[in-house]
């Protein structure tokens, strides 16, 4: 049985923010169906505190679950009556017109079991005794939280989440949702997270726990009964944790070696950073529960979906059926981009639909809570795509509006190479598009050849445009190679109009032929007659195919049709097709002189042919 108390909010925010959800009130769901926990114990009954924002549509298809990190709660957005400064921890992300737009989505924030903000936990009463659980509350895991959240979804009548999203520990919950309930989630947004904790992270958590466990006021976790509170331990634990949330760059910029009042030759806080950490520790000790801190850090330590598959993360995420957006931050040293890339690489190896954005932000791990423009733009673009799932057409499978947009871009850009490339791609082929730009070519191939695969792009604008265009895009620098993509993982790897901007031509072509059975390369022909005339006149060439001036060009390796013919022949690569275009028309007579764009399809001499169906 389940019962819940529900109230409604919606009054204007005390902050008078037109993009705020306004005043909200928490809700409490009570569950009497026992919940079996990973530790072996069972909660016979329990409560979950939660808040909702926006309206659930008639088909109940627009619901988004927000999962919180270590010390947050269900209070995701808005304010409380009489508490204008008590603003939801992700208020900058959730609200009317914000990246998660409550005019389109019904957003649910839930407080995890074991927390101290309303859900059943150490500070709530044990129904069996009528006294606070304290140290008797069981240890819980990320999987336990997800199981309880699934029951809340049942209560709200939500069979399938449009998206489950979280940062840090919340991102781990989103990943667990995708694996544990694959038919109940359409999108997982995993931000600043990891597939498991590193030894260093476990070490930080253990030091923080020891600060609490060795506090004389802890009393084995029964400090409430003893009339005490382990404030010293909580202060130190928070100070340790807070250091890991900030980047060295941010800490230096914010505090440096600034002194408060000069050197006092004492152990009082003399540096600004000391004062700041003590303030954060004191504030934390005022409102947080020590037993909760111990349990949530342990849940972090325990999370490791690959543990059930012998350490094989690819096998661990295999059950997932949803699309993914994975986001990391360059200065996050607690959960660095390399850990997010582990998730992405496992998903790619299993051919899951995943996009990845690596955000440049100076704020360290805390960046997922802040307003980095590129970060919010990526989330907004992705949720624009999510919103189409509950409309009459899907951008991913190219509804009418999206098809027209792609055709218009192709027409305006006059990309005659699209048709040539599409004619070489087998129906249903698995394609990797390197330097994909706005994703237009891959979107075109999805429509024309039913292709699937990924784009790879380094530029922020291209990543955003690709996400908006329904293309799975991975943000990375091609100069670092294609590590993480398995041998022969793709039928075809495309490098379209990007070759001339690469520093290490031989390396990238070798990588293309490692991960793909065939390669397609297109580039502007530097030997075109107009370019020759400009050089003869003493000027560097500028044209439609080479539109940059000499001082701002990204092109560093320009070649001609004849050059590339010789390049491939010298390396024993088998040329399967070659098309040279001028003004979107194929040139057969004197292509090195008359051609503007050259397009090649080739493979290793001994390679098996790619899957191919006649156009």
């Amino acid at each position: 049985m389940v019962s819940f108390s529900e109230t409604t909010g919606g009054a204007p925010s005390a902050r008078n923010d037109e993009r705020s959800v306004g005043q909200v009130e928490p809700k409490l769901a009570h569950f009497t169906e026992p919940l079996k926990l990973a530790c072996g114990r069972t909660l016979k009954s329990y409560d979950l505190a939660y808040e909702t924002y926006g309206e659930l549509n008639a088909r109940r298809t627009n619901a988004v679950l927000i999962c919180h990190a270590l010390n947050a709660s269900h209070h995701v957005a808005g304010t409380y009556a009489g508490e204008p400064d008590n603003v939801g921890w992700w208020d900058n992300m959730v609200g009317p017109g914000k990246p998660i737009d409550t005019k389109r989505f019904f957003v649910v924030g839930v407080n995890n079991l074991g927390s101290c903000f309303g859900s059943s936990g150490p500070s709530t009463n044990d129904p069996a005794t009528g006294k606070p659980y304290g140290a008797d509350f069981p240890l819980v895991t990320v999987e336990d939280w997800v199981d309880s959240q699934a029951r809340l979804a049942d209560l709200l009548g939500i069979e399938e989440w449009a998206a489950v999203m979280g940062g840090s520990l919340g991102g781990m919950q989103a990943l667990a949702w995708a694996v544990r309930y694959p038919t109940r989630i359409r999108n997982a947004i995993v931000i600043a997270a990891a597939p498991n904790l590193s030894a260093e992270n476990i070490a930080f958590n253990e030091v923080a726990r020891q600060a609490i466990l060795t506090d004389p006021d802890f009393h084995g976790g029964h400090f409430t009964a003893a009339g005490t509170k382990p404030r010293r331990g909580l202060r130190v634990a928070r100070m340790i944790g807070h250091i890991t949330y900030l980047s060295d760059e941010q800490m230096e910029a914010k505090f440096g070696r600034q002194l408060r009042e000069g050197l006092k030759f004492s152990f009082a806080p003399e540096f600004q950073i000391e004062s700041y950490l003590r303030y954060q520790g004191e504030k934390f000790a005022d409102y947080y529960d020590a037993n909760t801190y111990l349990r949530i850090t342990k849940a972090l330590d325990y999370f490791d979906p690959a543990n059930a598959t012998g350490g094989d993360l690819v096998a661990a995420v295999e059950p997932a059926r949803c699309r993914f957006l994975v986001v990391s931050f360059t200065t996050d040293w607690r959960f660095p981009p390399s850990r997010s890339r582990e998730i992405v690489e496992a998903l790619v190896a299993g051919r899951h639909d995943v996009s990845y954005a690596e955000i440049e932000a100076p704020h360290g791990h805390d960046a997922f809570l802040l307003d980095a423009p590129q970060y919010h733009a990526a989330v907004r673009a992705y949720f624009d795509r999510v919103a189409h799932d509950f409309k009459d057409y899907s951008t991913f499978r190219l509804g009418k509006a999206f098809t027209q947009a792609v055709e218009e871009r192709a027409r305006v850009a006059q990309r005659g190479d699209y048709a040539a490339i599409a004619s070489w791609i087998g129906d249903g082929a698995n394609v990797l598009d390197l330097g994909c730009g706005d994703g237009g070519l891959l979107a075109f191939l999805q429509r024309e050849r039913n292709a699937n695969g990924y784009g790879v792009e380094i530029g922020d604008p291209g990543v955003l445009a690709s996400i908006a265009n329904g293309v799975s895009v991975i943000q990375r620098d091609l100069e670092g190679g294609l590590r993480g993509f398995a041998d022969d993982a793709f039928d075809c790897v495309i490098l379209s109009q990007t070759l001339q901007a690469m520093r290490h031509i031989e390396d990238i072509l070798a990588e293309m032929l490692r991960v793909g059975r065939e390669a397609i390369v297109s580039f502007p022909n530097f030997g075109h007659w107009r370019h020759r005339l400009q050089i003869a006149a003493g000027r560097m060439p500028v044209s439609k195919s080479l539109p940059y001036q000499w001082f701002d060009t990204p092109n560093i390796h320009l070649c001609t049709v004849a050059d590339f013919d010789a390049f491939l022949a010298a390396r024993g690569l088998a040329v399967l097709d070659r098309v040279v275009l001028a003004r979107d028309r194929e040139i057969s007579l004197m292509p090195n002189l008359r051609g503007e764009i050259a397009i090649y399809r080739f493979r290793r001499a001994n390679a098996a042919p790619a899957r191919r169906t006649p156009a």
Side-chain angles (χ1 to χ4, degrees), residues 17-171:
D17 181 357
E18 292 182 357
R19 299 173 68 226
S20 170
V21 299
Q23 287 184 6
V24 298
E25 293 187 31
K27 307 163 188 177
L28 194 67
H30 180 67
F31 299 84
T32 56
E33 180 184 353
L35 180 67
K36 183 70 178 291
L37 304 175
C39 68
R41 293 178 59 185
T42 297
L43 285 177
K44 294 182 179 179
S45 64
Y46 56 94
D47 295 329
L48 290 180
Y50 69 102
E51 291 178 9
T52 65
Y53 323 102
E55 295 183 3
L56 190 61
N57 65 15
R59 290 183 292 167
R60 299 176 179 267
T61 56
N62 67 332
V64 175
L65 175 66
I66 302 295
C67 303
H68 69 75
L70 190 150
N71 65 312
S73 71
H74 53 288
H75 185 37
V76 176
T79 60
Y80 292 145
E83 301 179 53
D85 294 328
N86 189 356
V87 181
W89 58 270
W90 228 351
D91 188 76
N92 59 348
M93 183 69 74
V94 176
K98 295 178 183 179
I100 307 175
D101 190 343
T102 50
K103 289 184 291 186
R104 296 192 293 181
F105 296 101
F106 176 69
V107 181
V108 180
V110 59
N111 188 216
N112 291 332
L113 285 173
S115 184
C116 53
F117 298 113
S119 293
S120 293
S123 58
T124 62
N125 287 340
D126 180 350
T129 66
K131 297 178 181 179
Y133 279 101
D136 294 330
F137 194 84
L139 268 67
V140 288
T141 66
V142 168
E143 290 76 14
D144 294 331
W145 292 336
V146 169
D147 289 345
S148 67
Q149 291 161 5
R151 292 188 180 180
L152 178 63
D154 292 340
L155 169 66
L156 297 175
I158 298 166
E159 295 182 1
E160 183 183 49
W161 296 104
V164 177
M165 175 176 173
S168 190
L169 179 56

Side-chain angles (χ1 to χ4, degrees), residues 389-607:
D389 284 350
F390 46 85
K391 290 189 176 181
D392 292 333
Y393 60 87
S394 165
T395 57
F396 187 63
R397 275 296 156 223
L398 305 171
K400 182 178 178 182
F402 181 63
T403 299
Q404 291 173 344
V406 171
E407 290 174 340
E408 179 66 12
R409 281 196 303 276
R411 185 189 67 77
V412 172
Q414 293 185 337
R415 295 291 297 268
D417 52 342
Y418 279 22
I421 292 172
S423 72
W424 296 339
I425 298 296
D427 185 65
N430 194 28
V431 175
L432 182 65
D433 184 8
L434 305 179
C436 68
D438 68 355
L441 173 58
L442 191 52
F444 185 81
L445 296 176
Q446 286 174 343
R447 187 193 72 190
E448 297 295 327
R449 306 300 294 147
N450 196 33
N452 59 80
Y454 308 91
V456 178
E457 174 61 32
I458 189 174
D460 291 343
V463 171
L464 289 179
S466 294
I467 291 173
N469 289 341
V471 168
S472 297
V473 61
I474 297 169
Q475 188 165 27
R476 68 187 297 176
D477 186 354
L478 293 177
E479 299 291 3
L482 301 178
R483 183 183 63 82
F485 293 109
D487 295 356
D488 293 325
F490 298 92
D491 295 307
C492 185
V493 182
I494 302 172
L495 188 70
S496 175
Q497 304 283 33
T498 305
L499 181 75
Q500 66 276 10
M502 298 296 301
R503 293 187 178 276
H504 305 290
I505 300 293
E506 292 194 76
D507 291 346
I508 193 61
L509 292 185
E511 280 285 85
M512 290 173 68
L513 293 174
R514 175 183 68 80
V515 305
R517 286 179 279 279
E518 292 181 0
I520 294 176
V521 170
S522 69
F523 57 88
N525 175 31
F526 195 67
H528 186 260
W529 64 269
R530 286 193 179 89
H531 299 156
R532 300 188 193 198
L533 285 178
Q534 291 180 64
I535 290 174
R539 300 292 298 273
M540 289 300 293
V542 176
S543 68
K544 174 184 164 185
S545 58
L546 289 171
Y548 299 96
Q549 295 288 342
W550 65 269
F551 54 83
D552 66 357
T553 181
N555 301 324
I556 55 177
H557 282 133
L558 299 173
C559 70
T560 68
V561 172
D563 286 331
F564 204 65
D565 284 339
F567 179 91
L568 297 178
R571 287 152 184 81
L573 298 175
V575 177
L576 306 174
D577 288 289
R578 187 193 75 176
V579 170
V580 180
L581 301 174
R583 299 191 178 185
D584 295 331
R585 295 183 179 180
E586 186 172 349
I587 300 297
S588 55
L589 180 64
M590 294 187 293
N592 196 43
L593 179 66
R594 299 174 58 217
E596 295 175 336
I597 295 174
I599 316 165
Y600 287 75
R601 181 168 73 99
F602 56 94
R603 68 170 183 246
R604 299 184 302 274
N606 58 349

